[in-house]
Amino acid sequence: MRSDVLKKGDETLPHRALLRAVGIGDDELEKPFIGIANSFNELIPGHIHLNELVTEVKRGIREAGGVPFEWGVPGICDGIAMHVSMRHSLPSREHIADNVELMVISHSLDAWVGVTNCDKITPGMLMAAGRLDVPAIILTGGPMKAGRDGDEVYDLSSGFEAVGAMKAGRMSVEEANRIERHACPGPGSCSGMFTANSMACMAEALGMSLSGCATALAVSDKKREQAYLSGKRIVDLLSEDLRPSMIMTPEAFQNAVMVDMAIGGSTNVALHLPAISRELGIDLTMDQFDEISKTTPNICHISPSGSHHMEDLDRAGGIPAVLNRLADRLKTARTMDGRDIVEIARSYPVKDNSVIRELKDPFFPEGGLAILKGNMAVDSVIKQIAVSEEMMLHRGPARVFHTEEGVLSAIENSEIIEGDVVVINFMGPAGAPGMPEMLSPTAAIIGAGFTKVALVTDGRFSGATRGPCVGHVNPEAYAGGVIGLIQDGDIIEIDIGNRGLNVELTDDELERRRMKMVPPHRELTPFLRSYRDHVLRRC
């Protein structure tokens, strides 16, 4: 065991003395040391209950013969941070991976459990698992219930869209207040297929969580049982020397992308899965995403794509039931619960065909995401299942902004009209920096009643975003991408069916503009300055 370096030998006597100071006795020095990376905090609904789950994880570890050691991991609530442009959110993913690396390596832990939830915390922990390649298991904290007020059903996106509706005079203050008080009823990650729950589903589809973990509600007895079983299982994983590199294989990533396309997950999955795969030396490309999308029907319409919520998906059988639909297409891959993913798929039938449709009767014939290319992008991402049929092909004049606030002001002042293509540039990893989400402007567009306004950005979107919203435009404006050269009135065509994103400008005109392009000034904290430097070095 890795921890033997501390437990045995004369040279580490003082190290053992320090361990005894925290309560480790002779018996514990004979047992494996199991870390628990706990992202509990009192700011994020998805995390306020994690201490209760950690208690169960510790119980499972101790009963299986291990010694648990808990430490804290930071977490940012994207929904709360969004109002201050959330530039720290995506960079926190790398910070979380670094946190786990620091603690596991520095303290010679034999294995670890990631107790997590929400947008950057789960992918950060999965990145750490791939990087460290010591036995690990991911316990996601579960979704919250959908909000209800009589017959009305709400979630977080209802709140963001209410803002746009109020500003457009389409909703009263009293009605908006009712949504505020009911949209998020308690603990758990927000109740739709937003980024937090999308990544919980990816952790399970990759084989890094126990079956059923992604959709079990935060407040359920099932979630507490999963916590206990995860604690027991991590000790078994150590004895079996079953490591993340044996689980998160190229085949596992292809399976995960297939599941994502079937369930209609957040566009952020296209950021996080490649980042996780890179930690394992696996190249997961946007072309692979699109190839899988073209052959994988979308069989779930969870909010914001439809009226169902995570509790409905759980009731219908959760990710194991989705896997059941895909069983004949899955590639063989091991999982942390000891079974092959295909074995799991064949063990869990679908319980509600209206929530998880048959492949021959999908909500949409392709997957949830589409990768668009053209003279504006080497690649970009759109959640095509959240786009109306009439907007699958759209051509219109650009309205260019460098900030979200500029868009919100333009909407409030009736400066945006139907047919426009709103462009928010210099919002990429280096340009913002930090690649913030654009949920506020996209929700404001929906809330204001627009049906024929598109949005294109080198930033990204919340999983709660719906409508013709193209994000992750690559290369970003700060790196010289064409999106930074667009001016008001330029004609942009978005052709989702043919995977096209183009601006009607000649190469010569684009080059003339590039010579004059000056990035907007951004005030940077030391952390953001360091992150921008990191991004530019990687480019």
Side-chain angles (χ1 to χ4, degrees):
M1 290 186 292
R2 290 165 50 86
S3 60
D4 283 349
V5 69
L6 301 176
K7 299 170 184 173
K8 300 176 180 179
D10 296 339
E11 294 82 359
T12 51
L13 182 151
H15 306 69
R16 291 192 295 277
L18 290 168
L19 289 169
R20 291 182 187 279
V22 298
I24 300 302
D26 291 343
D27 288 345
E28 285 81 10
L29 289 172
E30 300 297 321
K31 299 175 181 178
F33 285 2
I34 311 295
I36 303 175
N38 179 9
S39 63
F40 163 83
N41 64 54
E42 295 180 337
L43 283 164
I44 310 179
H47 295 235
I48 57 174
H49 65 301
L50 295 186
N51 277 349
E52 300 170 23
L53 299 183
V54 167
T55 297
E56 292 302 305
V57 172
K58 289 178 179 177
R59 184 166 70 91
I61 290 171
R62 291 190 180 104
E63 289 187 11
V67 182
F69 292 89
E70 175 190 352
W71 75 89
V73 173
I76 291 175
C77 178
D78 283 17
I80 295 173
M82 204 170 291
H83 189 62
V84 289
S85 84
M86 65 178 306
R87 293 189 294 171
H88 287 79
S89 181
L90 183 60
S92 75
R93 183 187 69 184
E94 277 71 16
H95 180 73
I96 289 159
D98 292 345
N99 174 295
V100 177
E101 175 187 338
L102 291 169
M103 295 300 288
V104 171
I105 291 180
S106 299
H107 300 98
S108 301
L109 299 176
D110 297 304
W112 63 283
V113 181
V115 182
T116 173
N117 230 7
C118 298
D119 301 57
K120 309 307 163 301
I121 301 89
T122 298
M125 289 197 185
L126 286 166
M127 288 168 65
R131 179 187 304 180
L132 297 170
D133 204 28
V134 301
I137 194 167
I138 301 298
L139 172 70
T140 48
M144 71 170 66
K145 294 180 178 179
R148 298 181 187 277
D149 180 25
D151 294 333
E152 297 294 329
V153 182
Y154 302 118
D155 56 37
L156 181 65
S157 60
S158 307
F160 279 97
E161 291 177 12
V163 175
M166 275 197 301
K167 289 184 180 295
R170 300 176 64 244
M171 180 180 290
S172 68
V173 173
E174 292 75 21
E175 186 178 355
N177 183 263
R178 186 167 64 252
I179 292 173
E180 175 186 334
R181 295 176 183 278
H182 291 90
C184 300
S189 49
C190 298
S191 56
M193 188 59 76
F194 311 147
T195 305
N197 290 321
S198 296
M199 288 311 302
C201 293
M202 292 302 93
E204 186 176 335
L206 282 169
M208 289 296 294
S209 296
L210 295 180
S211 294
C213 186
T215 59
L217 290 175
V219 296
S220 66
D221 291 338
K222 182 162 60 172
K223 180 56 66 180
R224 287 191 290 274
E225 181 183 18
Q226 289 169 352
Y228 168 71
L229 293 175
S230 294
K232 293 194 71 173
R233 182 60 184 151
I234 191 61
V235 180
D236 293 337
L237 293 175
L238 178 61
S239 65
E240 298 167 13
D241 192 29
L242 187 54
R243 290 171 281 112
S245 63
M246 302 174 182
I247 304 299
M248 293 192 286
T249 60
E251 293 76 14
F253 279 101
Q254 291 178 53
N255 288 339
V257 173
M258 189 187 307
V259 169
D260 181 57
M261 296 303 169
I263 63 176
S266 165
T267 53
N268 282 313
V269 170
L271 281 177
H272 298 320
L273 282 184
I276 298 162
S277 72
R278 282 195 295 270
E279 298 286 355
L280 292 132
I282 297 170
D283 187 23
L284 183 62
T285 68
M286 290 300 97
D287 285 343
Q288 289 175 282
F289 271 79
D290 207 44
E291 289 166 8
I292 294 171
S293 177
K294 288 177 179 178
T295 58
T296 305
N298 171 243
I299 55 175
C300 299
H301 258 196
I302 313 300
S303 178
S305 302
S307 60
H308 295 137
H309 288 83
M310 292 301 293
E311 60 200 64
D312 301 308
L313 181 57
D314 188 60
R315 175 177 48 80
I319 294 304
V322 174
L323 293 170
N324 182 274
R325 292 285 197 230
L326 301 172
D328 292 339
R329 303 175 176 216
L330 295 170
K331 296 181 181 295
T332 296
R334 302 171 75 178
T335 69
M336 286 299 178
D337 77 359
R339 295 175 290 173
D340 185 274
I341 196 78
V342 178
E343 180 185 351
I344 293 172
R346 300 197 187 283
S347 302
Y348 294 91
V350 175
K351 299 177 182 178
D352 188 336
N353 291 336
S354 69
V355 178
I356 307 174
R357 288 191 176 182
E358 296 182 13
L359 296 182
K360 63 184 180 182
D361 180 34
F363 287 101
F364 191 78
E366 295 183 351
L369 304 183
I371 308 302
L372 309 187
K373 301 184 178 188
N375 70 346
M376 275 189 69
V378 172
D379 51 60
S380 60
V381 183
I382 189 168
K383 183 183 272 193
Q384 62 177 342
I385 59 168
V387 179
S388 66
E389 185 174 351
E390 66 179 347
M391 289 298 288
M392 295 295 282
L393 172 62
H394 181 72
R395 180 178 176 273
R399 292 297 316 281
V400 182
F401 303 88
H402 298 323
T403 66
E404 298 170 76
E405 292 78 13
V407 180
L408 298 177
S409 176
I411 293 172
E412 190 169 2
N413 294 325
S414 301
E415 296 170 6
I416 304 296
I417 63 173
E418 291 282 25
D420 283 347
V421 178
V422 173
V423 175
I424 314 178
N425 56 19
F426 293 94
M427 300 301 282
M435 203 178 188
E437 290 182 348
M438 304 287 114
L439 178 56
S440 292
T442 59
I445 288 169
I446 296 292
F450 290 114
T451 60
K452 297 180 181 179
V453 171
L455 191 149
V456 180
T457 181
D458 50 2
R460 58 194 178 89
F461 297 116
S462 164
T465 293
R466 61 189 176 102
C469 302
V470 183
H472 308 193
V473 170
N474 173 40
E476 63 169 294
Y478 198 87
V482 169
I483 190 171
L485 311 178
I486 305 298
Q487 298 176 1
D488 283 347
D490 292 341
I491 301 300
I492 294 174
E493 182 180 79
I494 303 168
D495 186 350
I496 298 173
N498 291 310
R499 303 300 202 255
L501 179 63
N502 292 281
V503 60
E504 296 180 6
L505 294 171
T506 66
D507 291 344
D508 287 344
E509 175 61 20
L510 289 172
E511 191 55 37
R512 279 193 293 271
R513 293 185 185 185
R514 184 173 283 111
M515 298 297 292
K516 299 178 182 179
M517 188 270 287
V518 178
H521 175 71
R522 310 283 199 204
E523 292 293 336
L524 303 183
T525 66
F527 180 84
L528 290 175
R529 192 176 300 114
S530 174
Y531 183 76
R532 173 179 277 178
D533 292 343
H534 164 75
V535 170
L536 293 176
R537 286 195 302 271
R538 191 174 63 192
C539 292

